[in-house]
Amino acid sequence: MAKMQAVTITTPITGEVIPLNQVDDPVFSTGMMGLGFGVQPTSGQVLAPVSGTVTMIAATKHALGFTTPDNHLEVLVHLGIDTVALGGAPFTLNVEAGDTVQAGDVVATMDLDAIKASNKQTTVVLAVTNATDKLAHLDVTPGKATAGQTVAKGRLNAATFNAKRQGRLKPVDHYDELATAIVENVGGVENINSLIHCITRLRFYLKDESLANDDVIADLKGVIDVAKAGGQYQVVIGAAVTDVYDAVVKLIGPEYTNDAATAKVVADTNAAAQQPTTFGGKIKHGFSSLIGVITGSMIPVIGLLAASGILKGILALLTTYKLVSATASTYVIINAMSDSVFYFLPIFVGFTAAKKLGADPVIMGIVGGVLTYPSLVSIAASGKTISTFMGMSINASFFGLPVHLASYTYSIFPMIAGAWLASKLEPWLKRVIPTVLRMIFLPLFEVVIVSGVILLFLGPIITVLSTGLANLIVTVYNLSPAISGLLIGGFYQVLVIFGLHWAVIPIVANDIATTGHSYLNAIVSATMVAQGGAVLAIALKSKLANIQELAWPATISAFAGVTEPAMYGINLKYGRAFITASIGAAVGGFLTGLMHVNMWGFTGSLIGFTSFVNPKGMDFSFTGFWIASIATIVVSFTLTWLFGFKDEDAQTVKRAPKKRHLGAA
């Protein structure tokens, strides 16, 4: 009888066996997936940890499930952390679902170097996913172990042991009852738009999330938790997700499924950090969350921004050397190619920010279209002033109310704020608008309210703040060019993040229009060079392919005068790099002001070197530009190399479990 109760499990891979609570993924480390252990592998060959049937293989090859024939234990082997995003590339499988294997059979290989190069962790996790129902305990022996070596021993619990001895142990679990309960509590079939799944979760797209009974679903036997992210209603199941998915599909019909999306879906819901209790901690947490939303919203378009920035640099060179006239149709066409992603940036950011914050992406894309609508852009750019208020020009009216319409092209912060508002507004609208009217009136009210808030309130507030800052900048510059260069250089890119830099642009334009040059623009140019110097250090220092893939084009783009890819894609995302870049910019700005470097054009950064040539004859501004730029690069590059970034910043993303917001496996 003791033998019938015994359970032994071997390590599926050679390496360092670690307790489950040391695995860097809360779904596993907290035991939600069952008892087990982790392995830090030193070899890529994967063996079957138990004898039995291969019952599950993930579409992306990063996870395999086994069921033992005698005890019916369900054993999950998960290859790496968050490796679902790699699409199966680093994995080679030797088995298929339905195959029978013996413990020690080679079932797969994993390319450890490729996984590391993709900025993912190689940790292999083994979990007995039905341990709660089957096992009394499972003891793990940590330390170095060779693949196939027994590292975990346990015993069946009394119920399983007795059922096995009496020959009534069920060969499989049935999920029809669970599927019925889930469908009923997400609001019924009529509330489901579509359904996909990943390795641990059912991912519903619901018509109205407010109809779902979160607490009831979370308490169902077989459900680990409920999470909401990216417009999805996620029911966390665990390794049995494919069985539950099949049962749900059998219940609601295949027309609600999307196999392509299921194959590509990645686990993108990170655990929320533990809420801080101190005031300072709350401020820091709030700012960190804001930066996370900003960078997360920008990442999907960073590649486009980098490409467009490089194209802008090429166009600047073509016009500088008189190869293309600024009035020629060739210039217009190339400029449209390079400028469209910036001009319509509110549309793209509205879409991505909505996905990040859980609002409707299409509706927020339309709001972005409102802000970039040609007629409104024309009013903002016309320079027309009906009256003034707090130093702000009133250039329009709305039902008789004076309004300041600002330009929102190239801007991101108003759309992120709008997406946050929409994420709060949508659930309320869904509750108060009858279902039969929701398809028309929900987008109607949301577009009107969110657009109105941005145009009538948020935009003017940003304009007042930026105008005040611009006046302060001019005052400080008149007192001391060097001190103003230090301050402007250090903080200008911070203003860019929040859209507060727009009032500086008219000052630069007015300076060039009236005097033909701008000392202020020369300082702004140094901040672009600094972002490029910092991201160049990261491009050279990092050994991670995904970091290099973004850092190199971001470097070129920044030196071509477009800093968004460097700032949002790398420097701001990893925090310290943005600080070291800002210190470099402060140095560059200080030297620019100290040497009274002047600028006779709009194009800045290294690509704009000809803007520092005095049309009346070469003077010290050209030399000063190079001195300040080289010093800026040296400082930002060196500080970033030494203190601003290391690959562990990208490799280690700490997670903490929190109810309703689990990190996805």
Side-chain angles (χ1 to χ4, degrees), residues 488-544:
I488 296 168
F491 293 101
Y492 184 78
Q493 294 295 336
V494 177
L495 301 182
V496 172
I497 294 172
F498 297 102
L500 297 175
H501 68 299
W502 284 112
V504 177
I505 306 302
I507 296 175
V508 171
N510 182 69
D511 286 346
I512 294 176
T514 56
T515 67
H517 56 79
S518 173
Y519 291 102
L520 180 58
N521 204 29
I523 297 172
V524 172
S525 175
T527 70
M528 302 175 183
V529 174
Q531 293 293 327
V535 78
L536 175 62
I538 294 172
L540 290 171
K541 182 179 182 180
S542 178
K543 299 297 188 293
L544 301 177

Short mmCIF file of all heavy atoms in Angstrom, two decimals, residues 488-544:
data_model
loop_
_atom_site.label_atom_id
_atom_site.label_comp_id
_atom_site.label_asym_id
_atom_site.label_seq_id
_atom_site.Cartn_x
_atom_site.Cartn_y
_atom_site.Cartn_z
N ILE A 488 17.21 74.52 -18.71
CA ILE A 488 16.44 74.08 -19.88
C ILE A 488 16.97 72.74 -20.38
O ILE A 488 16.20 71.82 -20.69
CB ILE A 488 16.50 75.13 -21.00
CG1 ILE A 488 15.83 76.43 -20.55
CG2 ILE A 488 15.81 74.61 -22.26
CD1 ILE A 488 16.10 77.60 -21.48
N GLY A 489 18.29 72.62 -20.45
CA GLY A 489 18.88 71.36 -20.90
C GLY A 489 18.49 70.20 -20.02
O GLY A 489 18.17 69.11 -20.50
N GLY A 490 18.48 70.42 -18.70
CA GLY A 490 18.18 69.34 -17.79
C GLY A 490 16.74 68.91 -17.77
O GLY A 490 16.42 67.74 -17.52
N PHE A 491 15.81 69.85 -18.05
CA PHE A 491 14.39 69.54 -17.87
C PHE A 491 13.55 69.62 -19.14
O PHE A 491 12.36 69.29 -19.10
CB PHE A 491 13.78 70.49 -16.82
CG PHE A 491 14.33 70.28 -15.44
CD1 PHE A 491 15.30 71.13 -14.93
CD2 PHE A 491 13.89 69.22 -14.66
CE1 PHE A 491 15.83 70.95 -13.66
CE2 PHE A 491 14.41 69.02 -13.39
CZ PHE A 491 15.38 69.89 -12.89
N TYR A 492 14.13 70.00 -20.27
CA TYR A 492 13.31 70.20 -21.47
C TYR A 492 12.61 68.91 -21.90
O TYR A 492 11.43 68.93 -22.26
CB TYR A 492 14.16 70.73 -22.62
CG TYR A 492 13.33 71.05 -23.86
CD1 TYR A 492 12.59 72.22 -23.92
CD2 TYR A 492 13.27 70.16 -24.93
CE1 TYR A 492 11.81 72.52 -25.03
CE2 TYR A 492 12.50 70.45 -26.04
CZ TYR A 492 11.77 71.62 -26.09
OH TYR A 492 11.00 71.91 -27.19
N GLN A 493 13.31 67.79 -21.89
CA GLN A 493 12.68 66.54 -22.34
C GLN A 493 11.60 66.07 -21.37
O GLN A 493 10.69 65.35 -21.76
CB GLN A 493 13.74 65.46 -22.54
CG GLN A 493 14.74 65.74 -23.66
CD GLN A 493 14.09 65.77 -25.04
OE1 GLN A 493 13.04 65.20 -25.26
NE2 GLN A 493 14.72 66.46 -25.98
N VAL A 494 11.69 66.49 -20.12
CA VAL A 494 10.59 66.23 -19.18
C VAL A 494 9.34 66.99 -19.62
O VAL A 494 8.22 66.48 -19.57
CB VAL A 494 10.98 66.63 -17.74
CG1 VAL A 494 9.80 66.42 -16.78
CG2 VAL A 494 12.18 65.82 -17.28
N LEU A 495 9.55 68.24 -20.06
CA LEU A 495 8.42 69.03 -20.57
C LEU A 495 7.81 68.36 -21.79
O LEU A 495 6.58 68.37 -21.97
CB LEU A 495 8.87 70.45 -20.92
CG LEU A 495 9.50 71.29 -19.81
CD1 LEU A 495 9.83 72.68 -20.34
CD2 LEU A 495 8.59 71.37 -18.60
N VAL A 496 8.66 67.76 -22.62
CA VAL A 496 8.16 67.09 -23.83
C VAL A 496 7.21 65.96 -23.46
O VAL A 496 6.16 65.75 -24.10
CB VAL A 496 9.34 66.55 -24.67
CG1 VAL A 496 8.84 65.67 -25.82
CG2 VAL A 496 10.17 67.70 -25.22
N ILE A 497 7.55 65.20 -22.42
CA ILE A 497 6.72 64.06 -22.01
C ILE A 497 5.29 64.51 -21.72
O ILE A 497 4.32 63.85 -22.12
CB ILE A 497 7.32 63.39 -20.76
CG1 ILE A 497 8.68 62.77 -21.08
CG2 ILE A 497 6.37 62.32 -20.20
CD1 ILE A 497 9.41 62.26 -19.86
N PHE A 498 5.15 65.64 -21.05
CA PHE A 498 3.82 66.10 -20.64
C PHE A 498 3.23 67.16 -21.58
O PHE A 498 2.22 67.76 -21.27
CB PHE A 498 3.89 66.65 -19.21
CG PHE A 498 4.27 65.61 -18.20
CD1 PHE A 498 5.56 65.56 -17.70
CD2 PHE A 498 3.36 64.67 -17.78
CE1 PHE A 498 5.94 64.60 -16.78
CE2 PHE A 498 3.72 63.69 -16.86
CZ PHE A 498 5.01 63.65 -16.36
N GLY A 499 3.87 67.35 -22.72
CA GLY A 499 3.34 68.28 -23.70
C GLY A 499 3.45 69.73 -23.29
O GLY A 499 2.75 70.59 -23.85
N LEU A 500 4.32 70.04 -22.34
CA LEU A 500 4.45 71.41 -21.83
C LEU A 500 5.49 72.22 -22.60
O LEU A 500 5.77 73.37 -22.25
CB LEU A 500 4.82 71.38 -20.34
CG LEU A 500 3.78 70.76 -19.41
CD1 LEU A 500 4.32 70.68 -17.99
CD2 LEU A 500 2.48 71.55 -19.44
N HIS A 501 6.08 71.63 -23.62
CA HIS A 501 7.13 72.31 -24.38
C HIS A 501 6.57 73.13 -25.55
O HIS A 501 7.31 73.87 -26.19
CB HIS A 501 8.11 71.27 -24.93
CG HIS A 501 7.52 70.38 -25.98
ND1 HIS A 501 6.44 69.55 -25.71
CD2 HIS A 501 7.81 70.20 -27.29
CE1 HIS A 501 6.12 68.89 -26.81
NE2 HIS A 501 6.93 69.26 -27.78
N TRP A 502 5.25 72.98 -25.80
CA TRP A 502 4.70 73.58 -27.01
C TRP A 502 4.78 75.10 -27.02
O TRP A 502 4.90 75.72 -28.08
CB TRP A 502 3.26 73.12 -27.22
CG TRP A 502 3.19 71.72 -27.74
CD1 TRP A 502 2.73 70.61 -27.09
CD2 TRP A 502 3.64 71.26 -29.02
NE1 TRP A 502 2.87 69.50 -27.88
CE2 TRP A 502 3.42 69.87 -29.08
CE3 TRP A 502 4.22 71.90 -30.12
CZ2 TRP A 502 3.75 69.10 -30.19
CZ3 TRP A 502 4.55 71.13 -31.23
CH2 TRP A 502 4.31 69.74 -31.25
N ALA A 503 4.72 75.72 -25.84
CA ALA A 503 4.80 77.17 -25.82
C ALA A 503 6.20 77.66 -26.13
O ALA A 503 6.39 78.85 -26.43
CB ALA A 503 4.34 77.70 -24.46
N VAL A 504 7.20 76.78 -26.02
CA VAL A 504 8.58 77.18 -26.35
C VAL A 504 8.75 77.29 -27.86
O VAL A 504 9.50 78.14 -28.35
CB VAL A 504 9.58 76.16 -25.76
CG1 VAL A 504 11.02 76.51 -26.15
CG2 VAL A 504 9.44 76.10 -24.24
N ILE A 505 8.05 76.42 -28.60
CA ILE A 505 8.19 76.38 -30.06
C ILE A 505 7.84 77.72 -30.70
O ILE A 505 8.59 78.22 -31.55
CB ILE A 505 7.34 75.25 -30.66
CG1 ILE A 505 7.68 73.91 -29.99
CG2 ILE A 505 7.53 75.18 -32.17
CD1 ILE A 505 9.13 73.51 -30.11
N PRO A 506 6.71 78.36 -30.33
CA PRO A 506 6.42 79.67 -30.93
C PRO A 506 7.48 80.72 -30.63
O PRO A 506 7.73 81.61 -31.45
CB PRO A 506 5.07 80.06 -30.30
CG PRO A 506 4.45 78.77 -29.90
CD PRO A 506 5.59 77.90 -29.49
N ILE A 507 8.11 80.62 -29.45
CA ILE A 507 9.18 81.57 -29.12
C ILE A 507 10.35 81.40 -30.08
O ILE A 507 10.90 82.36 -30.61
CB ILE A 507 9.65 81.38 -27.66
CG1 ILE A 507 8.50 81.70 -26.70
CG2 ILE A 507 10.86 82.25 -27.36
CD1 ILE A 507 8.82 81.41 -25.24
N VAL A 508 10.70 80.12 -30.32
CA VAL A 508 11.79 79.83 -31.26
C VAL A 508 11.42 80.33 -32.66
O VAL A 508 12.22 80.98 -33.35
CB VAL A 508 12.09 78.32 -31.29
CG1 VAL A 508 13.05 77.98 -32.42
CG2 VAL A 508 12.65 77.87 -29.95
N ALA A 509 10.17 80.01 -33.08
CA ALA A 509 9.73 80.42 -34.42
C ALA A 509 9.72 81.94 -34.55
O ALA A 509 10.12 82.49 -35.59
CB ALA A 509 8.33 79.85 -34.69
N ASN A 510 9.27 82.61 -33.49
CA ASN A 510 9.24 84.08 -33.54
C ASN A 510 10.65 84.67 -33.60
O ASN A 510 10.91 85.63 -34.33
CB ASN A 510 8.49 84.61 -32.31
CG ASN A 510 8.38 86.13 -32.32
OD1 ASN A 510 7.66 86.70 -33.15
ND2 ASN A 510 9.07 86.77 -31.39
N ASP A 511 11.57 84.05 -32.82
CA ASP A 511 12.96 84.52 -32.85
C ASP A 511 13.54 84.42 -34.26
O ASP A 511 14.16 85.36 -34.76
CB ASP A 511 13.81 83.70 -31.88
CG ASP A 511 13.55 84.05 -30.42
OD1 ASP A 511 12.92 85.10 -30.18
OD2 ASP A 511 13.96 83.27 -29.54
N ILE A 512 13.34 83.26 -34.89
CA ILE A 512 13.90 83.06 -36.23
C ILE A 512 13.23 83.96 -37.25
O ILE A 512 13.88 84.50 -38.16
CB ILE A 512 13.78 81.57 -36.62
CG1 ILE A 512 14.68 80.72 -35.70
CG2 ILE A 512 14.17 81.34 -38.09
CD1 ILE A 512 14.58 79.24 -35.94
N ALA A 513 11.91 84.14 -37.08
CA ALA A 513 11.17 84.98 -38.04
C ALA A 513 11.57 86.45 -37.93
O ALA A 513 11.63 87.17 -38.94
CB ALA A 513 9.67 84.82 -37.81
N THR A 514 11.84 86.92 -36.72
CA THR A 514 12.12 88.34 -36.53
C THR A 514 13.61 88.69 -36.56
O THR A 514 14.00 89.76 -37.05
CB THR A 514 11.53 88.82 -35.19
OG1 THR A 514 12.06 88.01 -34.13
CG2 THR A 514 10.02 88.72 -35.20
N THR A 515 14.42 87.79 -36.03
CA THR A 515 15.86 88.09 -35.97
C THR A 515 16.70 87.18 -36.86
O THR A 515 17.88 87.45 -37.09
CB THR A 515 16.38 87.95 -34.52
OG1 THR A 515 16.30 86.57 -34.12
CG2 THR A 515 15.56 88.80 -33.57
N GLY A 516 16.09 86.07 -37.31
CA GLY A 516 16.81 85.13 -38.16
C GLY A 516 17.58 84.08 -37.39
O GLY A 516 18.22 83.21 -37.99
N HIS A 517 17.54 84.11 -36.06
CA HIS A 517 18.29 83.13 -35.28
C HIS A 517 17.59 82.89 -33.95
O HIS A 517 16.65 83.61 -33.57
CB HIS A 517 19.72 83.62 -35.04
CG HIS A 517 19.80 84.96 -34.36
ND1 HIS A 517 19.61 85.14 -33.01
CD2 HIS A 517 20.04 86.20 -34.88
CE1 HIS A 517 19.72 86.41 -32.70
NE2 HIS A 517 19.98 87.10 -33.82
N SER A 518 18.03 81.85 -33.20
CA SER A 518 17.43 81.55 -31.90
C SER A 518 18.47 80.91 -30.99
O SER A 518 18.93 79.78 -31.23
CB SER A 518 16.23 80.60 -32.05
OG SER A 518 15.75 80.18 -30.78
N TYR A 519 18.84 81.63 -29.91
CA TYR A 519 19.73 81.06 -28.90
C TYR A 519 19.04 79.93 -28.14
O TYR A 519 19.66 78.93 -27.75
CB TYR A 519 20.15 82.15 -27.89
CG TYR A 519 21.05 83.20 -28.47
CD1 TYR A 519 20.57 84.45 -28.83
CD2 TYR A 519 22.42 82.95 -28.65
CE1 TYR A 519 21.41 85.43 -29.37
CE2 TYR A 519 23.27 83.91 -29.17
CZ TYR A 519 22.75 85.15 -29.53
OH TYR A 519 23.59 86.11 -30.06
N LEU A 520 17.73 80.08 -27.94
CA LEU A 520 16.96 79.09 -27.19
C LEU A 520 16.94 77.75 -27.92
O LEU A 520 17.09 76.69 -27.31
CB LEU A 520 15.54 79.61 -26.97
CG LEU A 520 14.59 78.70 -26.18
CD1 LEU A 520 15.15 78.38 -24.80
CD2 LEU A 520 13.21 79.36 -26.06
N ASN A 521 16.77 77.79 -29.24
CA ASN A 521 16.72 76.54 -30.01
C ASN A 521 18.05 75.80 -29.96
O ASN A 521 18.09 74.56 -30.06
CB ASN A 521 16.33 76.84 -31.46
CG ASN A 521 15.70 75.64 -32.14
OD1 ASN A 521 15.07 74.80 -31.48
ND2 ASN A 521 15.86 75.53 -33.45
N ALA A 522 19.14 76.52 -29.82
CA ALA A 522 20.46 75.89 -29.71
C ALA A 522 20.54 75.05 -28.44
O ALA A 522 21.13 73.96 -28.44
CB ALA A 522 21.55 76.95 -29.72
N ILE A 523 19.94 75.53 -27.36
CA ILE A 523 19.91 74.76 -26.11
C ILE A 523 19.04 73.53 -26.25
O ILE A 523 19.40 72.43 -25.81
CB ILE A 523 19.42 75.65 -24.95
CG1 ILE A 523 20.39 76.81 -24.73
CG2 ILE A 523 19.24 74.83 -23.68
CD1 ILE A 523 19.90 77.83 -23.73
N VAL A 524 17.88 73.71 -26.90
CA VAL A 524 16.98 72.57 -27.13
C VAL A 524 17.69 71.49 -27.95
O VAL A 524 17.53 70.29 -27.70
CB VAL A 524 15.70 73.04 -27.85
CG1 VAL A 524 14.85 71.84 -28.28
CG2 VAL A 524 14.89 73.96 -26.94
N SER A 525 18.50 71.91 -28.91
CA SER A 525 19.24 70.95 -29.74
C SER A 525 20.14 70.07 -28.88
O SER A 525 20.29 68.87 -29.15
CB SER A 525 20.08 71.70 -30.78
OG SER A 525 20.88 70.81 -31.52
N ALA A 526 20.75 70.63 -27.85
CA ALA A 526 21.64 69.84 -26.98
C ALA A 526 20.89 68.73 -26.27
O ALA A 526 21.45 67.65 -26.01
CB ALA A 526 22.31 70.76 -25.96
N THR A 527 19.61 68.95 -25.95
CA THR A 527 18.84 67.90 -25.28
C THR A 527 18.60 66.72 -26.21
O THR A 527 18.51 65.58 -25.76
CB THR A 527 17.50 68.45 -24.78
OG1 THR A 527 16.62 68.74 -25.88
CG2 THR A 527 17.68 69.72 -23.96
N MET A 528 18.48 66.96 -27.51
CA MET A 528 18.32 65.88 -28.47
C MET A 528 19.60 65.05 -28.56
O MET A 528 19.56 63.82 -28.59
CB MET A 528 17.98 66.45 -29.85
CG MET A 528 16.73 67.29 -29.91
SD MET A 528 16.52 68.01 -31.57
CE MET A 528 15.06 69.00 -31.31
N VAL A 529 20.74 65.75 -28.60
CA VAL A 529 22.03 65.07 -28.66
C VAL A 529 22.22 64.20 -27.42
O VAL A 529 22.73 63.07 -27.51
CB VAL A 529 23.17 66.10 -28.77
CG1 VAL A 529 24.53 65.41 -28.69
CG2 VAL A 529 23.06 66.90 -30.07
N ALA A 530 21.79 64.68 -26.26
CA ALA A 530 21.95 63.93 -25.01
C ALA A 530 21.17 62.62 -25.04
O ALA A 530 21.67 61.58 -24.59
CB ALA A 530 21.50 64.79 -23.83
N GLN A 531 19.94 62.66 -25.53
CA GLN A 531 19.15 61.43 -25.63
C GLN A 531 19.85 60.43 -26.55
O GLN A 531 19.88 59.22 -26.27
CB GLN A 531 17.74 61.74 -26.15
CG GLN A 531 16.87 62.54 -25.21
CD GLN A 531 16.49 61.80 -23.95
OE1 GLN A 531 16.32 60.58 -23.95
NE2 GLN A 531 16.37 62.52 -22.84
N GLY A 532 20.43 60.93 -27.63
CA GLY A 532 21.16 60.06 -28.54
C GLY A 532 22.41 59.48 -27.90
O GLY A 532 22.72 58.29 -28.09
N GLY A 533 23.14 60.28 -27.14
CA GLY A 533 24.34 59.78 -26.47
C GLY A 533 24.03 58.69 -25.47
O GLY A 533 24.76 57.69 -25.37
N ALA A 534 22.94 58.84 -24.73
CA ALA A 534 22.55 57.83 -23.74
C ALA A 534 22.15 56.52 -24.40
O ALA A 534 22.57 55.44 -23.99
CB ALA A 534 21.41 58.37 -22.87
N VAL A 535 21.32 56.60 -25.43
CA VAL A 535 20.86 55.37 -26.08
C VAL A 535 21.98 54.72 -26.87
O VAL A 535 22.00 53.49 -27.06
CB VAL A 535 19.62 55.66 -26.95
CG1 VAL A 535 19.98 56.30 -28.27
CG2 VAL A 535 18.82 54.37 -27.19
N LEU A 536 22.96 55.51 -27.33
CA LEU A 536 24.14 54.93 -27.99
C LEU A 536 24.92 54.06 -27.01
O LEU A 536 25.40 52.97 -27.37
CB LEU A 536 25.03 56.05 -28.53
CG LEU A 536 26.37 55.60 -29.15
CD1 LEU A 536 26.14 54.70 -30.35
CD2 LEU A 536 27.20 56.82 -29.54
N ALA A 537 25.06 54.52 -25.77
CA ALA A 537 25.75 53.73 -24.76
C ALA A 537 25.04 52.40 -24.54
O ALA A 537 25.68 51.34 -24.41
CB ALA A 537 25.83 54.51 -23.45
N ILE A 538 23.73 52.44 -24.51
CA ILE A 538 22.95 51.21 -24.31
C ILE A 538 23.09 50.28 -25.50
O ILE A 538 23.22 49.06 -25.36
CB ILE A 538 21.48 51.56 -24.03
CG1 ILE A 538 21.37 52.31 -22.70
CG2 ILE A 538 20.60 50.31 -24.01
CD1 ILE A 538 20.00 52.88 -22.42
N ALA A 539 23.08 50.85 -26.70
CA ALA A 539 23.22 50.03 -27.91
C ALA A 539 24.56 49.30 -27.92
O ALA A 539 24.64 48.13 -28.34
CB ALA A 539 23.10 50.92 -29.15
N LEU A 540 25.62 49.96 -27.46
CA LEU A 540 26.94 49.35 -27.46
C LEU A 540 27.14 48.41 -26.27
O LEU A 540 27.86 47.41 -26.37
CB LEU A 540 28.02 50.44 -27.43
CG LEU A 540 28.17 51.26 -28.72
CD1 LEU A 540 29.10 52.44 -28.49
CD2 LEU A 540 28.70 50.38 -29.85
N LYS A 541 26.52 48.72 -25.14
CA LYS A 541 26.74 47.95 -23.92
C LYS A 541 25.88 46.69 -23.86
O LYS A 541 26.34 45.63 -23.41
CB LYS A 541 26.45 48.82 -22.70
CG LYS A 541 26.69 48.11 -21.37
CD LYS A 541 26.42 49.05 -20.20
CE LYS A 541 26.71 48.35 -18.87
NZ LYS A 541 26.45 49.24 -17.70
N SER A 542 24.64 46.77 -24.31
CA SER A 542 23.71 45.65 -24.14
C SER A 542 24.09 44.47 -25.03
O SER A 542 24.52 44.63 -26.17
CB SER A 542 22.28 46.10 -24.46
OG SER A 542 21.39 45.00 -24.34
N LYS A 543 23.91 43.28 -24.48
CA LYS A 543 24.10 42.06 -25.25
C LYS A 543 22.76 41.44 -25.66
O LYS A 543 22.73 40.36 -26.26
CB LYS A 543 24.89 41.04 -24.41
CG LYS A 543 26.29 41.51 -24.00
CD LYS A 543 27.18 41.73 -25.22
CE LYS A 543 28.62 42.01 -24.82
NZ LYS A 543 28.77 43.31 -24.11
N LEU A 544 21.68 42.12 -25.32
CA LEU A 544 20.34 41.60 -25.61
C LEU A 544 19.91 42.03 -27.00
O LEU A 544 19.92 43.21 -27.33
CB LEU A 544 19.34 42.10 -24.57
CG LEU A 544 19.65 41.72 -23.11
CD1 LEU A 544 18.64 42.34 -22.18
CD2 LEU A 544 19.69 40.22 -22.94
#
